[in-house]
């Protein structure tokens, strides 16, 4: 209770539900990182869980949510003075081929 969490992949199915569950279980703040911004439905769900729990979600998407950029990761960790736990569940989605 009262913890601060960072969740990567927060706009995906599992990541979005994890963000909600963390607040429902007492987290104070969840920093949600994803390349993709939450759609309207997910934004509404996030707003609802924040209101119900009095918790806070800090959304970082686009360039701010790009885990391949060290500056974005550093900035995410600077959002709160102490992050207690990181849930790294971001993944590439789609058909990818390695030709090397």
């Amino acid at each position: 209770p009262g913890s601060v969490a960072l969740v990567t992949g927060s706009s995906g199915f599992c990541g979005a539900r994890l963000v909600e569950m963390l607040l429902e279980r007492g987290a104070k703040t969840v920093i949600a990182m994803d390349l993709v911004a939450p759609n309207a439905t997910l934004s509404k769900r996030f707003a609802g869980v924040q209101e119900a729990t009095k918790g806070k979600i800090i959304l970082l998407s686009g360039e701010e949510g790009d885990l391949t950029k060290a500056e974005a990761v550093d900035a995410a960790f600077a959002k709160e003075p102490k992050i207690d736990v990181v849930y790294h569940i971001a993944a590439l989605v789609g058909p990818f081929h390695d030709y090397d």
Side-chain angles (χ1 to χ4, degrees):
S3 63
V4 176
L6 176 99
V7 177
T8 67
S10 60
S11 290
F13 178 76
C14 294
R17 186 63 191 123
L18 177 59
V19 168
E20 293 170 322
M21 287 176 63
L22 288 168
L23 289 181
E24 291 165 354
R25 294 182 180 188
K28 177 182 81 167
T29 304
V30 177
I31 302 168
M33 289 186 79
D34 204 308
L35 273 175
V36 179
N39 62 24
T41 301
L42 183 54
S43 293
K44 191 174 181 178
R45 282 177 38 197
F46 280 176
V49 75
Q50 287 180 96
E51 186 176 325
T53 64
K54 305 302 182 219
K56 178 171 78 171
I57 298 174
I58 300 172
L59 292 171
L60 303 175
S61 60
E63 289 292 317
E64 283 188 303
D66 187 351
L67 291 172
T68 66
K69 308 280 191 253
E71 311 82 51
V73 174
D74 290 342
F77 276 90
K79 295 289 181 186
E80 284 286 327
K82 179 179 179 272
I83 294 175
D84 299 296
V85 63
V86 175
Y87 295 93
H88 178 47
I89 56 174
L92 294 174
V93 180
F96 296 97
H97 303 283
D98 184 6
Y99 295 107
D100 291 338

